[in-house]
Amino acid sequence: MIASSEDALICDVAETYGILDYRALPLPLAATLAAGLRETSRSKMRLSGAHAAPDTLLHAAAVDWLATLAWMQSENGRKNINRPRPVLEIFTGDHKADNPVVAFDSAADFEAERARILGEVNRYGD
């Protein structure tokens, strides 16, 4: 846990046990206290790679289903357009960026893309 984030462990031990200096504890006790942290502690979530606590994920899923049900009853839902974006994707890291990051191999590639974009802007009434 220390290797992944000592700051998170310090915060978790202070919050859970009221111990501000875990290094002053005997090593076996510090290890036992660290192992006893709740699954939603900063340290354990970082170790597991979780982006959000399970209850947060369940709440987001409920919001998504409610939004989908409401959308299905709307005019847009009957036409199958403008489906609501899932909130759950934000917490799981599955969302796709509206403006994806673009990288260029050279300055010339960048300038060519810039010229293309500016040309499109001017063509459409700049």
Side-chain angles (χ1 to χ4, degrees):
M1 284 185 184
I2 294 173
S4 67
S5 176
E6 186 175 19
D7 290 340
L9 182 61
I10 290 169
C11 290
D12 289 337
V13 171
E15 177 183 19
T16 305
Y17 305 112
I19 298 170
L20 299 178
D21 184 11
Y22 77 92
R23 289 178 181 257
L25 300 173
L27 186 58
L29 178 59
T32 300
L33 294 177
L37 292 171
R38 68 190 190 297
E39 293 303 313
T40 56
S41 68
R42 296 165 193 86
S43 301
K44 287 198 175 180
M45 286 186 60
R46 182 161 295 165
L47 284 175
S48 69
H51 297 283
D55 60 335
T56 302
L57 298 176
L58 288 172
H59 287 122
V63 166
D64 287 345
W65 277 106
L66 181 61
T68 300
L69 288 171
W71 170 79
M72 290 163 74
Q73 301 301 315
S74 71
E75 188 67 31
N76 284 340
R78 286 188 281 282
K79 294 178 182 176
N80 198 23
I81 58 172
N82 297 327
R83 185 181 191 102
R85 294 182 68 185
V87 174
L88 185 59
E89 290 178 355
I90 295 169
F91 293 108
T92 59
D94 293 338
H95 68 287
K96 312 239 181 333
D98 290 335
N99 298 317
V101 175
V102 178
F104 301 96
D105 294 327
S106 67
D109 291 345
F110 169 78
E111 291 297 335
E113 180 65 11
R114 180 176 180 270
R116 185 191 69 76
I117 291 171
L118 291 177
E120 286 182 7
V121 170
N122 289 332
R123 184 176 26 183
Y124 292 114
D126 183 337

PDB file of all heavy atoms in Angstrom, residues 91-123:
ATOM      1  N   PHE A  91     -17.803   7.041 -14.207  1.00  0.00           N
ATOM      2  CA  PHE A  91     -17.165   6.431 -13.045  1.00  0.00           C
ATOM      3  C   PHE A  91     -16.330   5.210 -13.397  1.00  0.00           C
ATOM      4  O   PHE A  91     -15.408   4.865 -12.678  1.00  0.00           O
ATOM      5  CB  PHE A  91     -18.217   6.049 -12.006  1.00  0.00           C
ATOM      6  CG  PHE A  91     -18.887   7.241 -11.396  1.00  0.00           C
ATOM      7  CD1 PHE A  91     -20.190   7.557 -11.715  1.00  0.00           C
ATOM      8  CD2 PHE A  91     -18.205   8.057 -10.504  1.00  0.00           C
ATOM      9  CE1 PHE A  91     -20.806   8.657 -11.161  1.00  0.00           C
ATOM     10  CE2 PHE A  91     -18.805   9.155  -9.950  1.00  0.00           C
ATOM     11  CZ  PHE A  91     -20.113   9.458 -10.279  1.00  0.00           C
ATOM     12  N   THR A  92     -16.675   4.524 -14.482  1.00  0.00           N
ATOM     13  CA  THR A  92     -15.921   3.323 -14.852  1.00  0.00           C
ATOM     14  C   THR A  92     -14.805   3.624 -15.824  1.00  0.00           C
ATOM     15  O   THR A  92     -13.994   2.757 -16.131  1.00  0.00           O
ATOM     16  CB  THR A  92     -16.853   2.272 -15.475  1.00  0.00           C
ATOM     17  OG1 THR A  92     -17.483   2.810 -16.631  1.00  0.00           O
ATOM     18  CG2 THR A  92     -17.896   1.805 -14.464  1.00  0.00           C
ATOM     19  N   GLY A  93     -14.755   4.855 -16.336  1.00  0.00           N
ATOM     20  CA  GLY A  93     -13.701   5.224 -17.269  1.00  0.00           C
ATOM     21  C   GLY A  93     -13.964   4.742 -18.684  1.00  0.00           C
ATOM     22  O   GLY A  93     -13.078   4.745 -19.529  1.00  0.00           O
ATOM     23  N   ASP A  94     -15.214   4.318 -18.970  1.00  0.00           N
ATOM     24  CA  ASP A  94     -15.552   3.808 -20.297  1.00  0.00           C
ATOM     25  C   ASP A  94     -16.045   4.879 -21.258  1.00  0.00           C
ATOM     26  O   ASP A  94     -16.340   4.584 -22.404  1.00  0.00           O
ATOM     27  CB  ASP A  94     -16.648   2.730 -20.192  1.00  0.00           C
ATOM     28  CG  ASP A  94     -16.167   1.481 -19.505  1.00  0.00           C
ATOM     29  OD1 ASP A  94     -14.946   1.259 -19.490  1.00  0.00           O
ATOM     30  OD2 ASP A  94     -17.010   0.730 -18.994  1.00  0.00           O
ATOM     31  N   HIS A  95     -16.164   6.118 -20.789  1.00  0.00           N
ATOM     32  CA  HIS A  95     -16.721   7.149 -21.661  1.00  0.00           C
ATOM     33  C   HIS A  95     -15.723   7.556 -22.738  1.00  0.00           C
ATOM     34  O   HIS A  95     -14.516   7.535 -22.554  1.00  0.00           O
ATOM     35  CB  HIS A  95     -17.195   8.362 -20.852  1.00  0.00           C
ATOM     36  CG  HIS A  95     -16.091   9.138 -20.200  1.00  0.00           C
ATOM     37  ND1 HIS A  95     -15.399   8.675 -19.112  1.00  0.00           N
ATOM     38  CD2 HIS A  95     -15.557  10.336 -20.498  1.00  0.00           C
ATOM     39  CE1 HIS A  95     -14.487   9.550 -18.767  1.00  0.00           C
ATOM     40  NE2 HIS A  95     -14.558  10.576 -19.585  1.00  0.00           N
ATOM     41  N   LYS A  96     -16.243   7.900 -23.863  1.00  0.00           N
ATOM     42  CA  LYS A  96     -15.428   8.339 -24.981  1.00  0.00           C
ATOM     43  C   LYS A  96     -15.427   9.866 -24.991  1.00  0.00           C
ATOM     44  O   LYS A  96     -16.452  10.498 -24.814  1.00  0.00           O
ATOM     45  CB  LYS A  96     -16.013   7.818 -26.287  1.00  0.00           C
ATOM     46  CG  LYS A  96     -16.342   6.332 -26.236  1.00  0.00           C
ATOM     47  CD  LYS A  96     -15.602   5.567 -27.261  1.00  0.00           C
ATOM     48  CE  LYS A  96     -15.899   4.097 -27.271  1.00  0.00           C
ATOM     49  NZ  LYS A  96     -16.329   3.430 -26.114  1.00  0.00           N
ATOM     50  N   ALA A  97     -14.295  10.437 -25.191  1.00  0.00           N
ATOM     51  CA  ALA A  97     -14.178  11.901 -25.197  1.00  0.00           C
ATOM     52  C   ALA A  97     -14.880  12.481 -26.414  1.00  0.00           C
ATOM     53  O   ALA A  97     -14.855  11.908 -27.498  1.00  0.00           O
ATOM     54  CB  ALA A  97     -12.715  12.303 -25.204  1.00  0.00           C
ATOM     55  N   ASP A  98     -15.537  13.620 -26.221  1.00  0.00           N
ATOM     56  CA  ASP A  98     -16.165  14.307 -27.346  1.00  0.00           C
ATOM     57  C   ASP A  98     -15.104  14.838 -28.304  1.00  0.00           C
ATOM     58  O   ASP A  98     -15.299  14.873 -29.501  1.00  0.00           O
ATOM     59  CB  ASP A  98     -17.023  15.474 -26.844  1.00  0.00           C
ATOM     60  CG  ASP A  98     -18.262  14.987 -26.116  1.00  0.00           C
ATOM     61  OD1 ASP A  98     -18.707  13.850 -26.383  1.00  0.00           O
ATOM     62  OD2 ASP A  98     -18.783  15.740 -25.282  1.00  0.00           O
ATOM     63  N   ASN A  99     -13.992  15.260 -27.757  1.00  0.00           N
ATOM     64  CA  ASN A  99     -12.877  15.768 -28.552  1.00  0.00           C
ATOM     65  C   ASN A  99     -11.649  14.915 -28.255  1.00  0.00           C
ATOM     66  O   ASN A  99     -10.886  15.232 -27.347  1.00  0.00           O
ATOM     67  CB  ASN A  99     -12.591  17.234 -28.211  1.00  0.00           C
ATOM     68  CG  ASN A  99     -13.768  18.121 -28.540  1.00  0.00           C
ATOM     69  OD1 ASN A  99     -14.376  17.978 -29.583  1.00  0.00           O
ATOM     70  ND2 ASN A  99     -14.089  19.028 -27.634  1.00  0.00           N
ATOM     71  N   PRO A 100     -11.470  13.846 -29.002  1.00  0.00           N
ATOM     72  CA  PRO A 100     -10.333  12.973 -28.696  1.00  0.00           C
ATOM     73  C   PRO A 100      -9.004  13.691 -28.880  1.00  0.00           C
ATOM     74  O   PRO A 100      -8.877  14.611 -29.683  1.00  0.00           O
ATOM     75  CB  PRO A 100     -10.485  11.821 -29.691  1.00  0.00           C
ATOM     76  CG  PRO A 100     -11.344  12.360 -30.789  1.00  0.00           C
ATOM     77  CD  PRO A 100     -12.210  13.412 -30.174  1.00  0.00           C
ATOM     78  N   VAL A 101      -8.019  13.245 -28.132  1.00  0.00           N
ATOM     79  CA  VAL A 101      -6.686  13.825 -28.214  1.00  0.00           C
ATOM     80  C   VAL A 101      -6.049  13.391 -29.530  1.00  0.00           C
ATOM     81  O   VAL A 101      -6.113  12.230 -29.913  1.00  0.00           O
ATOM     82  CB  VAL A 101      -5.818  13.363 -27.030  1.00  0.00           C
ATOM     83  CG1 VAL A 101      -4.397  13.868 -27.166  1.00  0.00           C
ATOM     84  CG2 VAL A 101      -6.440  13.833 -25.730  1.00  0.00           C
ATOM     85  N   VAL A 102      -5.460  14.344 -30.219  1.00  0.00           N
ATOM     86  CA  VAL A 102      -4.805  14.063 -31.494  1.00  0.00           C
ATOM     87  C   VAL A 102      -3.328  14.394 -31.340  1.00  0.00           C
ATOM     88  O   VAL A 102      -2.975  15.433 -30.790  1.00  0.00           O
ATOM     89  CB  VAL A 102      -5.418  14.914 -32.623  1.00  0.00           C
ATOM     90  CG1 VAL A 102      -4.719  14.654 -33.936  1.00  0.00           C
ATOM     91  CG2 VAL A 102      -6.902  14.636 -32.749  1.00  0.00           C
ATOM     92  N   ALA A 103      -2.478  13.500 -31.816  1.00  0.00           N
ATOM     93  CA  ALA A 103      -1.035  13.725 -31.754  1.00  0.00           C
ATOM     94  C   ALA A 103      -0.474  13.747 -33.163  1.00  0.00           C
ATOM     95  O   ALA A 103      -1.015  13.115 -34.074  1.00  0.00           O
ATOM     96  CB  ALA A 103      -0.368  12.616 -30.946  1.00  0.00           C
ATOM     97  N   PHE A 104       0.600  14.481 -33.339  1.00  0.00           N
ATOM     98  CA  PHE A 104       1.218  14.614 -34.648  1.00  0.00           C
ATOM     99  C   PHE A 104       2.672  14.171 -34.569  1.00  0.00           C
ATOM    100  O   PHE A 104       3.335  14.366 -33.558  1.00  0.00           O
ATOM    101  CB  PHE A 104       1.129  16.066 -35.136  1.00  0.00           C
ATOM    102  CG  PHE A 104      -0.290  16.561 -35.230  1.00  0.00           C
ATOM    103  CD1 PHE A 104      -0.864  17.275 -34.198  1.00  0.00           C
ATOM    104  CD2 PHE A 104      -1.048  16.280 -36.357  1.00  0.00           C
ATOM    105  CE1 PHE A 104      -2.164  17.717 -34.279  1.00  0.00           C
ATOM    106  CE2 PHE A 104      -2.349  16.719 -36.445  1.00  0.00           C
ATOM    107  CZ  PHE A 104      -2.915  17.438 -35.411  1.00  0.00           C
ATOM    108  N   ASP A 105       3.146  13.584 -35.654  1.00  0.00           N
ATOM    109  CA  ASP A 105       4.528  13.118 -35.709  1.00  0.00           C
ATOM    110  C   ASP A 105       5.517  14.235 -35.988  1.00  0.00           C
ATOM    111  O   ASP A 105       6.699  14.120 -35.686  1.00  0.00           O
ATOM    112  CB  ASP A 105       4.686  12.021 -36.771  1.00  0.00           C
ATOM    113  CG  ASP A 105       3.926  10.764 -36.391  1.00  0.00           C
ATOM    114  OD1 ASP A 105       3.825  10.479 -35.179  1.00  0.00           O
ATOM    115  OD2 ASP A 105       3.438  10.069 -37.297  1.00  0.00           O
ATOM    116  N   SER A 106       5.012  15.311 -36.583  1.00  0.00           N
ATOM    117  CA  SER A 106       5.916  16.413 -36.919  1.00  0.00           C
ATOM    118  C   SER A 106       5.146  17.723 -36.921  1.00  0.00           C
ATOM    119  O   SER A 106       3.908  17.742 -36.950  1.00  0.00           O
ATOM    120  CB  SER A 106       6.544  16.181 -38.301  1.00  0.00           C
ATOM    121  OG  SER A 106       5.541  16.276 -39.294  1.00  0.00           O
ATOM    122  N   ALA A 107       5.891  18.806 -36.928  1.00  0.00           N
ATOM    123  CA  ALA A 107       5.275  20.128 -37.000  1.00  0.00           C
ATOM    124  C   ALA A 107       4.558  20.313 -38.336  1.00  0.00           C
ATOM    125  O   ALA A 107       3.506  20.946 -38.405  1.00  0.00           O
ATOM    126  CB  ALA A 107       6.334  21.202 -36.807  1.00  0.00           C
ATOM    127  N   ALA A 108       5.089  19.707 -39.400  1.00  0.00           N
ATOM    128  CA  ALA A 108       4.462  19.818 -40.713  1.00  0.00           C
ATOM    129  C   ALA A 108       3.082  19.153 -40.714  1.00  0.00           C
ATOM    130  O   ALA A 108       2.124  19.688 -41.298  1.00  0.00           O
ATOM    131  CB  ALA A 108       5.360  19.187 -41.778  1.00  0.00           C
ATOM    132  N   ASP A 109       2.958  17.999 -40.047  1.00  0.00           N
ATOM    133  CA  ASP A 109       1.657  17.332 -39.950  1.00  0.00           C
ATOM    134  C   ASP A 109       0.665  18.209 -39.193  1.00  0.00           C
ATOM    135  O   ASP A 109      -0.506  18.316 -39.566  1.00  0.00           O
ATOM    136  CB  ASP A 109       1.797  15.979 -39.245  1.00  0.00           C
ATOM    137  CG  ASP A 109       2.560  14.961 -40.073  1.00  0.00           C
ATOM    138  OD1 ASP A 109       2.738  15.183 -41.293  1.00  0.00           O
ATOM    139  OD2 ASP A 109       2.978  13.931 -39.484  1.00  0.00           O
ATOM    140  N   PHE A 110       1.141  18.829 -38.113  1.00  0.00           N
ATOM    141  CA  PHE A 110       0.285  19.720 -37.335  1.00  0.00           C
ATOM    142  C   PHE A 110      -0.189  20.890 -38.193  1.00  0.00           C
ATOM    143  O   PHE A 110      -1.374  21.225 -38.213  1.00  0.00           O
ATOM    144  CB  PHE A 110       1.025  20.239 -36.103  1.00  0.00           C
ATOM    145  CG  PHE A 110       0.296  21.362 -35.407  1.00  0.00           C
ATOM    146  CD1 PHE A 110      -0.777  21.102 -34.588  1.00  0.00           C
ATOM    147  CD2 PHE A 110       0.689  22.683 -35.599  1.00  0.00           C
ATOM    148  CE1 PHE A 110      -1.459  22.128 -33.959  1.00  0.00           C
ATOM    149  CE2 PHE A 110       0.020  23.718 -34.979  1.00  0.00           C
ATOM    150  CZ  PHE A 110      -1.061  23.440 -34.154  1.00  0.00           C
ATOM    151  N   GLU A 111       0.729  21.513 -38.905  1.00  0.00           N
ATOM    152  CA  GLU A 111       0.377  22.669 -39.740  1.00  0.00           C
ATOM    153  C   GLU A 111      -0.607  22.281 -40.844  1.00  0.00           C
ATOM    154  O   GLU A 111      -1.512  23.046 -41.176  1.00  0.00           O
ATOM    155  CB  GLU A 111       1.641  23.313 -40.323  1.00  0.00           C
ATOM    156  CG  GLU A 111       2.526  24.004 -39.295  1.00  0.00           C
ATOM    157  CD  GLU A 111       1.848  25.175 -38.595  1.00  0.00           C
ATOM    158  OE1 GLU A 111       0.908  25.781 -39.146  1.00  0.00           O
ATOM    159  OE2 GLU A 111       2.270  25.486 -37.464  1.00  0.00           O
ATOM    160  N   ALA A 112      -0.433  21.096 -41.413  1.00  0.00           N
ATOM    161  CA  ALA A 112      -1.350  20.639 -42.463  1.00  0.00           C
ATOM    162  C   ALA A 112      -2.762  20.453 -41.901  1.00  0.00           C
ATOM    163  O   ALA A 112      -3.752  20.861 -42.528  1.00  0.00           O
ATOM    164  CB  ALA A 112      -0.842  19.339 -43.080  1.00  0.00           C
ATOM    165  N   GLU A 113      -2.863  19.858 -40.707  1.00  0.00           N
ATOM    166  CA  GLU A 113      -4.177  19.665 -40.086  1.00  0.00           C
ATOM    167  C   GLU A 113      -4.785  21.003 -39.693  1.00  0.00           C
ATOM    168  O   GLU A 113      -5.981  21.232 -39.860  1.00  0.00           O
ATOM    169  CB  GLU A 113      -4.054  18.753 -38.863  1.00  0.00           C
ATOM    170  CG  GLU A 113      -5.358  18.501 -38.144  1.00  0.00           C
ATOM    171  CD  GLU A 113      -6.387  17.742 -38.957  1.00  0.00           C
ATOM    172  OE1 GLU A 113      -6.063  17.206 -40.038  1.00  0.00           O
ATOM    173  OE2 GLU A 113      -7.552  17.680 -38.507  1.00  0.00           O
ATOM    174  N   ARG A 114      -3.973  21.906 -39.213  1.00  0.00           N
ATOM    175  CA  ARG A 114      -4.457  23.242 -38.843  1.00  0.00           C
ATOM    176  C   ARG A 114      -5.005  23.964 -40.062  1.00  0.00           C
ATOM    177  O   ARG A 114      -6.075  24.573 -40.008  1.00  0.00           O
ATOM    178  CB  ARG A 114      -3.310  24.044 -38.222  1.00  0.00           C
ATOM    179  CG  ARG A 114      -3.679  25.443 -37.792  1.00  0.00           C
ATOM    180  CD  ARG A 114      -2.486  26.106 -37.088  1.00  0.00           C
ATOM    181  NE  ARG A 114      -2.809  27.429 -36.679  1.00  0.00           N
ATOM    182  CZ  ARG A 114      -2.623  28.529 -37.430  1.00  0.00           C
ATOM    183  NH1 ARG A 114      -2.097  28.433 -38.621  1.00  0.00           N
ATOM    184  NH2 ARG A 114      -2.950  29.713 -36.957  1.00  0.00           N
ATOM    185  N   ALA A 115      -4.293  23.880 -41.173  1.00  0.00           N
ATOM    186  CA  ALA A 115      -4.752  24.514 -42.417  1.00  0.00           C
ATOM    187  C   ALA A 115      -6.064  23.901 -42.886  1.00  0.00           C
ATOM    188  O   ALA A 115      -6.971  24.601 -43.342  1.00  0.00           O
ATOM    189  CB  ALA A 115      -3.683  24.385 -43.494  1.00  0.00           C
ATOM    190  N   ARG A 116      -6.186  22.573 -42.759  1.00  0.00           N
ATOM    191  CA  ARG A 116      -7.422  21.905 -43.167  1.00  0.00           C
ATOM    192  C   ARG A 116      -8.601  22.377 -42.317  1.00  0.00           C
ATOM    193  O   ARG A 116      -9.660  22.719 -42.828  1.00  0.00           O
ATOM    194  CB  ARG A 116      -7.275  20.389 -43.047  1.00  0.00           C
ATOM    195  CG  ARG A 116      -8.503  19.626 -43.572  1.00  0.00           C
ATOM    196  CD  ARG A 116      -8.462  18.165 -43.213  1.00  0.00           C
ATOM    197  NE  ARG A 116      -8.628  17.914 -41.788  1.00  0.00           N
ATOM    198  CZ  ARG A 116      -9.793  17.972 -41.124  1.00  0.00           C
ATOM    199  NH1 ARG A 116     -10.896  18.288 -41.772  1.00  0.00           N
ATOM    200  NH2 ARG A 116      -9.849  17.724 -39.835  1.00  0.00           N
ATOM    201  N   ILE A 117      -8.400  22.454 -40.997  1.00  0.00           N
ATOM    202  CA  ILE A 117      -9.474  22.878 -40.096  1.00  0.00           C
ATOM    203  C   ILE A 117      -9.854  24.327 -40.363  1.00  0.00           C
ATOM    204  O   ILE A 117     -11.033  24.664 -40.473  1.00  0.00           O
ATOM    205  CB  ILE A 117      -9.060  22.685 -38.622  1.00  0.00           C
ATOM    206  CG1 ILE A 117      -8.969  21.193 -38.310  1.00  0.00           C
ATOM    207  CG2 ILE A 117     -10.036  23.381 -37.686  1.00  0.00           C
ATOM    208  CD1 ILE A 117      -8.355  20.887 -36.965  1.00  0.00           C
ATOM    209  N   LEU A 118      -8.860  25.194 -40.512  1.00  0.00           N
ATOM    210  CA  LEU A 118      -9.148  26.606 -40.775  1.00  0.00           C
ATOM    211  C   LEU A 118      -9.808  26.788 -42.130  1.00  0.00           C
ATOM    212  O   LEU A 118     -10.665  27.656 -42.295  1.00  0.00           O
ATOM    213  CB  LEU A 118      -7.874  27.441 -40.668  1.00  0.00           C
ATOM    214  CG  LEU A 118      -7.306  27.569 -39.246  1.00  0.00           C
ATOM    215  CD1 LEU A 118      -6.000  28.347 -39.268  1.00  0.00           C
ATOM    216  CD2 LEU A 118      -8.315  28.220 -38.317  1.00  0.00           C
ATOM    217  N   GLY A 119      -9.444  25.959 -43.099  1.00  0.00           N
ATOM    218  CA  GLY A 119     -10.083  26.010 -44.399  1.00  0.00           C
ATOM    219  C   GLY A 119     -11.546  25.639 -44.308  1.00  0.00           C
ATOM    220  O   GLY A 119     -12.392  26.262 -44.963  1.00  0.00           O
ATOM    221  N   GLU A 120     -11.881  24.641 -43.475  1.00  0.00           N
ATOM    222  CA  GLU A 120     -13.271  24.253 -43.295  1.00  0.00           C
ATOM    223  C   GLU A 120     -14.059  25.357 -42.604  1.00  0.00           C
ATOM    224  O   GLU A 120     -15.190  25.634 -42.955  1.00  0.00           O
ATOM    225  CB  GLU A 120     -13.373  22.965 -42.481  1.00  0.00           C
ATOM    226  CG  GLU A 120     -12.986  21.727 -43.248  1.00  0.00           C
ATOM    227  CD  GLU A 120     -13.147  20.451 -42.414  1.00  0.00           C
ATOM    228  OE1 GLU A 120     -13.685  20.538 -41.295  1.00  0.00           O
ATOM    229  OE2 GLU A 120     -12.721  19.408 -42.907  1.00  0.00           O
ATOM    230  N   VAL A 121     -13.466  26.012 -41.628  1.00  0.00           N
ATOM    231  CA  VAL A 121     -14.135  27.100 -40.916  1.00  0.00           C
ATOM    232  C   VAL A 121     -14.421  28.238 -41.888  1.00  0.00           C
ATOM    233  O   VAL A 121     -15.531  28.763 -41.933  1.00  0.00           O
ATOM    234  CB  VAL A 121     -13.277  27.605 -39.728  1.00  0.00           C
ATOM    235  CG1 VAL A 121     -13.849  28.874 -39.159  1.00  0.00           C
ATOM    236  CG2 VAL A 121     -13.200  26.529 -38.665  1.00  0.00           C
ATOM    237  N   ASN A 122     -13.439  28.615 -42.699  1.00  0.00           N
ATOM    238  CA  ASN A 122     -13.639  29.711 -43.647  1.00  0.00           C
ATOM    239  C   ASN A 122     -14.656  29.353 -44.714  1.00  0.00           C
ATOM    240  O   ASN A 122     -15.426  30.185 -45.160  1.00  0.00           O
ATOM    241  CB  ASN A 122     -12.309  30.081 -44.295  1.00  0.00           C
ATOM    242  CG  ASN A 122     -11.387  30.767 -43.300  1.00  0.00           C
ATOM    243  OD1 ASN A 122     -11.861  31.398 -42.365  1.00  0.00           O
ATOM    244  ND2 ASN A 122     -10.087  30.629 -43.491  1.00  0.00           N
ATOM    245  N   ARG A 123     -14.694  28.093 -45.125  1.00  0.00           N
ATOM    246  CA  ARG A 123     -15.618  27.656 -46.169  1.00  0.00           C
ATOM    247  C   ARG A 123     -17.058  27.721 -45.681  1.00  0.00           C
ATOM    248  O   ARG A 123     -17.974  27.925 -46.466  1.00  0.00           O
ATOM    249  CB  ARG A 123     -15.249  26.230 -46.583  1.00  0.00           C
ATOM    250  CG  ARG A 123     -16.069  25.717 -47.718  1.00  0.00           C
ATOM    251  CD  ARG A 123     -15.641  24.373 -48.172  1.00  0.00           C
ATOM    252  NE  ARG A 123     -15.002  23.654 -47.071  1.00  0.00           N
ATOM    253  CZ  ARG A 123     -14.472  22.472 -47.167  1.00  0.00           C
ATOM    254  NH1 ARG A 123     -14.497  21.829 -48.289  1.00  0.00           N
ATOM    255  NH2 ARG A 123     -13.917  21.886 -46.138  1.00  0.00           N
TER     256      ARG A 123
END
